[in-house]
């Protein structure tokens, strides 16, 4: 079987070691599901939804087909669509914005904090309009947006809050898990994510029974059961196989997060004191699961090339802010509108990090970076 040791490269992300360690269990689950006679919307999904809701300290979760769908359906459940503004950030994965657009609503970008790279809540006042209906904070890299002032602002202005938790499984703010603070939390189980499936998947979380019922209908053609649509809906389901595999992986999620935090601590310690690097900043009320360990440096492109030469993978999340992408030119943003976001795009770099990454490899990464800046 293929494993990390077949290659000299220090991988940015990899799942093959996890697969090698738990192969028997994963294959047993596949056989159970395939032999069960039920492949969609069955007991394995129901069991996972219950466990995932418990993990997020909320009463309800609904499995859907992807993180993008989770955001889209959350907004639809809140009645957001054409003519509405949704405030989010431009330094996020494109799907955040694609999901807003899929509802017909208009994304409005707030600039971000330079040290955390997250939505700067003090900028909300400047971008709110008469049409604003919702705030969509993105818990980027796994670190949570400053939710207390954000929720106060939302309450004051009667706005809904949908948390983009695609990168934030395992995160918390003042003890509240990601996805438990907004009206709806939207999660992705894309393979690279903190809780990753063996393909696509997603989930929404909510504390509100009305939204729970609505979301269950929206993912299933607007139907409660049978062949009758109560309302206009969609098809977005988490299948039995992915649900069963996730149900098994979630039991090891706390350990995986601890492994991520251990590697992050190693990077923190090893890279401390290099003047030209900004290390990830963690709010004191936050638990950070380190989906990504992202540093900031003016010499980013040079450093990235230097690391690549030593077979160390690294990535930029993300190289282009969405408001300046060709596909979103119609939104009418000009360069300079979001100065912090635009500056960060040129300085951020994510280092190799996944739970099975050997400590020695993280140490090699540190060594290479220290040599580069020497
Ligand atoms: C991955 C991701 C999504 C989309 O999730 P998919 O499951 O790939 O559709 C949305 N937002 C953020 C911030 C993400 O990282």
């Amino acid at each position: 079987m293929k494993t990390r040791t077949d290659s000299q490269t220090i991988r940015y992300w990899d799942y093959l070691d996890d697969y090698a360690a738990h192969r028997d269990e994963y294959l047993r689950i596949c056989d159970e599901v395939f032999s069960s006679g039920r492949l969609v919307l069955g007991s394995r999904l129901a069991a996972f939804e219950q466990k995932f809701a418990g993990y997020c300290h909320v009463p309800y979760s609904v499995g859907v087909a992807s993180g993008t769908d989770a955001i889209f359906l959350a907004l639809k459940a809140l009645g957001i669509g054409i003519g509405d503004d949704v405030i989010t950030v431009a330094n996020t994965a494109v799907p955040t914005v694609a999901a807003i657009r899929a509802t017909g609503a208009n994304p409005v970008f707030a600039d971000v904090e330079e040290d955390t790279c997250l939505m700067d809540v003090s900028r909300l006042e400047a971008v709110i309009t008469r049409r604003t209906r919702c705030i969509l904070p993105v818990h980027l890299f796994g670190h949570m947006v400053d939710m207390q002032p954000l929720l106060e602002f939302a309450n004051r202005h009667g706005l809904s809050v949908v948390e983009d938790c695609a990168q934030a499984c395992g995160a918390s703010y003042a003890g509240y898990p990601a996805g438990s603070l907004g009206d709806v939390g939207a999660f992705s189980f894309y393979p690279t994510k903190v809780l990753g499936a063996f393909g696509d998947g997603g989930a929404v979380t909510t504390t509100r029974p009305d939204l729970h019922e609505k979301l269950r209908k929206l993912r299933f053609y607007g139907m409660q059961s049978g062949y009758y649509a109560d309302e206009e809906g969609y098809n977005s389901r988490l299948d039995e196989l992915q649900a069963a595999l996730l149900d098994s992986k979630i039991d090891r999620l706390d350990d995986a997060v601890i492994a991520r935090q251990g590697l992050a601590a190693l990077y923190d310690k090893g890279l401390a004191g290099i003047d030209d690097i900004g290390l990830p900043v963690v709010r004191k009320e936050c638990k950070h699961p380190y989906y990504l360990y992202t540093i900031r440096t003016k010499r980013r492109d040079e450093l990235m090339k230097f690391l690549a030469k030593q077979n160390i993978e690294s990535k930029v999340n993300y190289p282009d802010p969405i408001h300046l992408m060709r596909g979103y030119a119609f939104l009418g943003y000009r360069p300079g509108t979001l100065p912090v976001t635009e500056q960060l795009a040129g300085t951020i770099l994510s280092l190799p990090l996944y739970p099975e990454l050997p400590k020695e490899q993280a140490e090699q990464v540190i060594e290479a970076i220290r040599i580069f800046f020497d």
Side-chain angles (χ1 to χ4, degrees):
M1 205 186 336
K2 229 178 123 181
T3 62
R4 172 191 72 235
T5 43
D6 295 341
S7 130
Q8 291 307 305
T9 304
I10 297 184
R11 308 263 288 145
Y12 167 81
W13 175 78
D14 196 19
Y15 74 92
L16 289 172
D17 285 357
D18 173 73
Y19 185 62
H22 304 286
R23 183 168 181 261
D24 290 348
E25 182 188 331
Y26 293 144
L27 294 180
R28 177 182 55 74
I29 291 168
C30 288
D31 187 50
E32 274 172 19
V33 173
F34 294 162
S35 316
S36 73
R38 178 104 196 198
L39 299 173
V40 173
L41 294 183
S43 61
R44 305 305 296 254
L45 175 61
F48 172 69
E49 286 174 336
Q50 199 175 3
K51 200 186 269 188
F52 190 67
Y55 188 83
C56 298
H57 298 186
V58 295
Y60 310 110
S61 119
V62 178
V64 298
S66 71
T68 312
D69 277 9
I71 300 168
F72 167 71
L73 295 170
L75 295 170
K76 290 300 287 186
L78 289 161
I80 288 155
I82 294 170
D84 298 330
D85 279 0
V86 176
I87 301 175
T88 190
V89 290
N91 63 329
T92 179
V94 169
T96 310
V97 176
I100 295 171
R101 286 294 307 146
T103 69
N106 179 47
V108 172
F109 301 116
D111 211 352
V112 297
E113 303 165 335
E114 188 175 351
D115 55 353
T116 66
C117 308
L118 297 174
M119 177 183 275
D120 183 344
V121 177
S122 73
R123 303 294 306 158
L124 291 172
E125 200 73 61
V127 295
I128 190 171
T129 67
R130 279 181 295 107
R131 296 174 302 276
T132 305
R133 291 278 315 281
C134 181
I135 309 176
L136 206 167
V138 180
H139 303 316
L140 201 69
F141 311 145
H143 187 208
M144 284 178 71
V145 171
D146 200 0
M147 289 303 282
Q148 191 182 333
L150 184 145
L151 292 168
E152 280 166 14
F153 183 90
N155 278 337
R156 203 156 61 239
H157 295 277
L159 308 176
S160 305
V161 175
V162 173
E163 296 173 72
D164 182 340
C165 305
Q167 304 191 354
C169 210
S172 66
Y173 179 97
Y176 293 93
S180 70
L181 286 166
D183 294 282
V184 186
F187 289 85
S188 166
F189 303 128
Y190 183 73
T192 66
K193 304 289 161 97
V194 177
L195 179 60
F198 289 79
D200 276 312
V204 285
T205 51
T206 185
T207 55
R208 287 174 48 180
D210 60 322
L211 290 178
H212 175 232
E213 196 186 322
K214 184 121 189 161
L215 285 159
R216 282 177 63 90
K217 280 197 223 169
L218 284 176
R219 73 153 172 207
F220 186 50
Y221 319 114
M223 305 190 308
Q224 197 112 48
S225 61
Y227 295 105
Y228 187 88
D230 280 332
E231 58 185 291
E232 204 178 10
Y234 306 90
N235 170 15
S236 183
R237 302 177 292 229
L238 182 65
D239 64 65
E240 289 287 283
L241 179 61
Q242 298 299 344
L245 291 164
L246 287 164
D247 196 304
S248 139
K249 283 186 93 178
I250 200 173
D251 292 337
R252 290 190 297 275
L253 187 56
D254 286 339
D255 291 337
V257 168
I258 288 168
R260 286 175 178 278
Q261 290 171 329
L263 290 161
L266 216 60
Y267 281 141
D268 275 345
K269 192 154 164 265
L271 300 175
I274 304 177
D275 286 344
D276 293 328
I277 294 187
L279 297 177
V281 169
V282 186
R283 253 184 267 288
K284 63 177 185 323
E285 53 271 76
C286 284
K287 177 183 162 204
H288 192 339
Y290 290 99
Y291 170 61
L292 296 176
Y293 187 93
T294 304
I295 61 171
R296 289 162 284 131
T297 171
K298 290 206 173 67
R299 296 174 66 195
R300 194 268 313 279
D301 293 342
E302 253 180 287
L303 173 62
M304 202 175 175
K305 277 197 204 109
F306 180 82
L307 293 175
K309 265 200 216 118
Q310 337 224 354
N311 292 323
I312 298 171
E313 292 182 348
S314 61
K315 278 214 166 82
V316 179
N317 307 90
Y318 296 93
D320 293 284
I322 295 171
H323 69 297
L324 301 180
M325 289 183 184
R326 200 178 315 121
Y328 289 98
F330 69 91
L331 293 174
Y333 280 85
R334 300 243 162 275
T337 329
L338 302 170
V340 183
T341 301
E342 290 167 31
Q343 181 230 311
L344 283 172
T347 60
I348 46 176
L349 187 67
S350 305
L351 303 180
L353 201 161
Y354 55 94
E356 298 78 24
L357 180 77
K359 281 204 174 63
E360 309 78 66
Q361 291 198 359
E363 269 151 13
Q364 278 174 259
V365 176
I366 292 166
E367 183 63 22
I369 295 175
R370 293 208 79 96
I371 290 169
F372 175 81
F373 282 105
D374 226 6

